[in-house]
Amino acid sequence: MRYYLRKLGFFLLTLWAVVTLNFVIPRIAPGDPAEIMVQRLAGKNAQLDQAQVQAMRDLLGTPTGSLPAQYLQYLGQLFRGDLGLSYNYYPFKVTEVIGQAFWWTLVLVTVVQVLSFVIGVLLGAFAAWKRNGRFDTTVTLVSTFLGTLNSFWIALLLIIGLGYGLGWFATSGGYEQSTPGFNWPFVYDAISHAFLPALTLMIITPVGWVLGMRNTMVLNLGEDYIKLAKAKGLPDRVVALRYAARNALLPSVTGFALALGGVLGGTILVETVFDYPGLGRLMGEAVGVKDYPLLQALMLLTAVATLVANLVADLLYGVLDPRVRRAQS
C-alpha cells in the first residue's frame, strides 16, 4: 500500500508544479497578444494606436493585477473549467476550440500508437529470438535507418507521391464533401484524409518499440532463468513468450503509457503539413499568434494526460512485477 500512496503523492506534487509552470511560462514570454491582433487588423506597416491596443486587451480579458492575484484567479478558473476565450478564434471559448479538434487527434494518434506498439514489440521480440540472423539484421538496419528520417520530410514525399502524383488520397484537411456525423460517406471521407498522416506516423513510430524490445529481450535471454527453462526442455515458443518476452515487455509498458499520454499533444509537424484539424495544428497556430489561453490549455491538457498515464503505468508496474512493490515498501 505504501508503494501506491507514494506514487499518488508524487503525482499530486508534480501536478501542482505543472499547473504553476503553465501559469508562469506564458506570462514571462515576450510579446503582447493584443498588439499582435491590432497589428494584424491595421496592417503590417501601420503604426499602433495604444488606445486600440488597450481596447483589445479589455475585449480579450487580458489578466491584470499582481501575479499572486492572477495565480489565485487562474486556479479558480481551472476548478470551474473556465479556460478563457481564444485570442485567435475570438469570441469562441478555449474549451469549444479544443473540443472541435480533440477527437481528430485522439482517433488518429491513438490508433497509430496502438498499432505501432503491437507491431514494434512483435518485430523486436522475434528479432531478439532470431538474433544475429538475417531477420534480426534486416529489422535492426531498417529500423535504425527509419529512425533517422524526419516526419516532415516523409510527409512531403507521401503528399507528392501518393497525393499529387497518383491521386489516391486527399492531401489536406479532415474531410471535404460529406456532412459530419456517424454515416458511411463521412467515415470514408475522414479515413481517406487521415490515411497519409497516419502512414507518416506509422513509418517512424514503431522504431523505438522495435529497438527497445529487441535490446531488452537480448539481455534477458542471457539470464539464468532462460537457461534453466531451456534445460527443462520447454518448447522454444514457451521460453520466448512466457519467459523472455514477458519480462522484456515491462519497460515498454511505461513507454507505451507515456506515449498514450502524449497523444493529446498531437503531432505538430505532421498535422500542420497535412492541415489536419487536430490538436497539434492547433498548438502550432497558438504559438504563432501568441494565443496564450489556448496554448496554456493545450500544454496543461498534454501535461496532465502524460502524468495520469505515467501514474497508471507505475501502478500497473507494481502489479506486473511484485519485486518493485516490495523494494519500496
Side-chain angles (χ1 to χ4, degrees), residues 230-255:
K230 291 182 177 179
K232 287 182 176 181
L234 295 177
D236 288 346
R237 179 175 58 84
V238 175
V239 175
L241 296 178
R242 296 188 59 184
Y243 288 81
R246 181 179 179 180
N247 288 327
L249 187 62
L250 289 176
S252 298
V253 171
T254 302

Side-chain angles (χ1 to χ4, degrees), residues 78-92:
L78 283 184
F79 281 116
R80 294 194 305 269
D82 180 11
L83 301 178
L85 300 176
S86 171
Y87 296 166
N88 191 41
Y89 292 93
Y90 184 86
F92 291 100

Side-chain angles (χ1 to χ4, degrees), residues 98-169:
I98 292 179
Q100 292 181 357
F102 176 79
W103 296 107
W104 295 98
T105 292
L106 184 66
V107 173
L108 172 67
V109 186
T110 300
V111 170
V112 170
Q113 288 289 359
V114 172
L115 290 177
S116 298
F117 178 76
V118 173
I119 294 173
V121 164
L122 291 177
L123 287 177
F126 194 72
W129 186 250
K130 300 294 182 180
R131 61 192 181 282
N132 300 325
R134 183 177 299 177
F135 181 83
D136 178 31
T137 303
T138 302
V139 169
T140 303
L141 288 176
V142 171
S143 298
T144 303
F145 170 73
L146 292 178
T148 63
L149 301 181
N150 185 279
S151 58
F152 180 81
W153 181 74
I154 296 175
L156 291 179
L157 288 181
L158 292 178
I159 289 175
I160 295 172
L162 300 182
Y164 294 131
L166 299 176
W168 289 353
F169 303 101

Side-chain angles (χ1 to χ4, degrees), residues 16 42 81 120 129 158 197 213 216 227 230 248 252 268 304 318 326:
W16 171 80
W129 186 250
L158 292 178
M213 185 65 182
T216 306
K227 298 177 183 178
K230 291 182 177 179
S252 298
I268 297 178
V304 171
R326 287 196 297 266

Side-chain angles (χ1 to χ4, degrees), residues 241-321:
L241 296 178
R242 296 188 59 184
Y243 288 81
R246 181 179 179 180
N247 288 327
L249 187 62
L250 289 176
S252 298
V253 171
T254 302
F256 181 60
L258 293 176
L260 286 181
V263 161
L264 298 184
T267 51
I268 297 178
L269 283 178
V270 173
E271 291 186 9
T272 300
V273 171
F274 290 100
D275 195 28
Y276 193 75
L279 296 176
R281 191 194 69 173
L282 210 58
M283 184 175 289
E285 291 179 353
V287 171
V289 300
K290 299 186 184 301
D291 188 346
Y292 291 148
L294 181 57
L295 181 60
Q296 205 171 23
L298 289 171
M299 292 173 59
L300 182 62
L301 183 66
T302 304
V304 171
T306 303
L307 287 176
V308 171
N310 192 34
L311 176 65
V312 172
D314 286 339
L315 299 180
L316 185 60
Y317 214 103
V319 175
L320 295 177
D321 191 352

